[in-house]
């Protein structure tokens, strides 16, 4: 009897997770097409095989769905960047390729940049920056791994400078695109000013 109850509970948990994943996938589509403001329970239900009442049954509120869906977008992007990093063993070339791929993502899909910043504004207005901070931390960790050999004395500081540069460059590339060579020069400048970098 106990085994049967445990089996039913496991099935119920698995079913719940599957429904939640369906909802998150639908929310990702809504976010990618229309942004955070348009990501309502009704819009998510319309983009999924579930009803609006089911959306409310599986999640506490729409903000929880938005948080998880945006994080899923970032996770996908980071997986792509890690794949790019694995294509070469040269540390500097690896960093340049990852940065180029990162910026290309936002250049090819301008809505991704809008979503990124729109989400941060939304999270800030509801005083719920934990997930946004985790996302930023994931990007920082990736860059930290990449610059560890290039700025050995203080890789954390170099990674922080690169994250800040990337965020600003996303906006600038949208307004005033610069050649990749110019961007690489700026990366070199950031690294050469990092403590411990061999001049």
């Amino acid at each position: 009897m106990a085994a049967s109850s445990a089996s039913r509970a496991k099935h119920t948990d698995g079913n719940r997770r599957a429904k939640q994943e369906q909802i998150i996938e639908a929310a990702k589509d809504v976010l990618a097409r229309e942004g955070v403001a348009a990501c309502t329970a009704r819009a998510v239900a319309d983009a999924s095989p579930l009803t609006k009442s089911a959306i409310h049954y599986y999640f506490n509120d729409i903000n929880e769905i938005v948080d998880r869906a945006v994080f899923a977008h970032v996770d996908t992007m980071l997986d792509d960047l890690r794949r790019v990093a694995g294509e070469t063993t040269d540390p500097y070339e690896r960093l340049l390729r990852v940065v180029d791929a990162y910026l290309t993502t936002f250049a090819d899909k301008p809505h991704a940049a809008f979503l990124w910043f729109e989400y941060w504004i939304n999270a800030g207005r509801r005083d719920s920056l934990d997930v946004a901070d985790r996302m930023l931390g994931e990007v920082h960790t990736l860059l930290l791994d990449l610059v560890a050999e290039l700025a050995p004395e203080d890789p954390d500081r170099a990674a922080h400078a690169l994250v800040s540069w990337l965020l600003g460059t996303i906006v600038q590339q949208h307004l005033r695109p610069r050649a990749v060579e110019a961007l690489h020069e700026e990366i070199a400048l950031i690294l050469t000013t990092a403590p411990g970098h061999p001049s």
Side-chain angles (χ1 to χ4, degrees), residues 25-166:
E25 285 302 312
K28 283 172 61 180
D29 290 342
V30 173
L31 287 166
R33 286 194 320 267
E34 303 174 54
V36 174
C39 193
T40 63
R42 167 56 58 205
V44 172
D46 288 346
S48 79
L50 302 173
T51 64
K52 183 180 174 184
S53 60
I55 306 295
H56 290 299
Y57 176 78
Y58 288 109
F59 286 96
N60 293 326
D61 59 38
I62 193 64
N63 290 329
E64 183 183 359
I65 297 170
V66 170
D67 286 344
R68 284 184 54 177
V70 173
F71 203 102
H73 273 300
V74 172
D75 255 355
T76 299
M77 181 185 74
L78 290 172
D79 284 344
D80 290 342
L81 294 178
R82 290 185 191 102
R83 179 185 51 75
V84 169
E87 292 173 355
T88 180
T89 56
D90 179 80
Y92 190 61
E93 181 66 22
R94 188 164 57 229
L95 175 63
L96 293 182
R97 287 190 187 186
V98 167
V99 168
D100 290 347
Y102 183 98
L103 293 174
T104 298
T105 297
F106 292 104
D108 290 348
K109 302 174 184 175
H111 65 273
F114 301 150
L115 174 59
W116 183 249
F117 291 111
E118 185 184 3
Y119 173 73
W120 283 5
I121 292 167
N122 173 275
R125 284 183 173 153
R126 57 185 163 95
D127 198 24
S128 181
L129 289 169
D130 290 352
V131 176
D133 184 59
R134 277 175 52 215
M135 285 188 270
L136 197 58
E138 293 283 340
V139 175
H140 177 89
T141 298
L142 173 64
L143 291 174
L144 182 60
D145 290 343
L146 293 171
V147 302
E149 294 178 59
L150 302 170
E153 188 175 304
D154 199 346
D156 190 70
R157 181 177 169 185
H160 179 80
L162 277 171
V163 170
S164 299
W165 176 83
L166 279 169

Side-chain angles (χ1 to χ4, degrees), residues 167-190:
L167 292 175
T169 301
I170 289 170
V171 176
Q172 294 195 71
Q173 286 298 96
H174 186 66
L175 297 172
R176 298 176 185 171
R178 301 183 68 206
V180 68
E181 293 80 12
L183 299 177
H184 288 181
E185 287 175 8
E186 291 179 1
I187 294 169
L189 183 61
I190 290 170

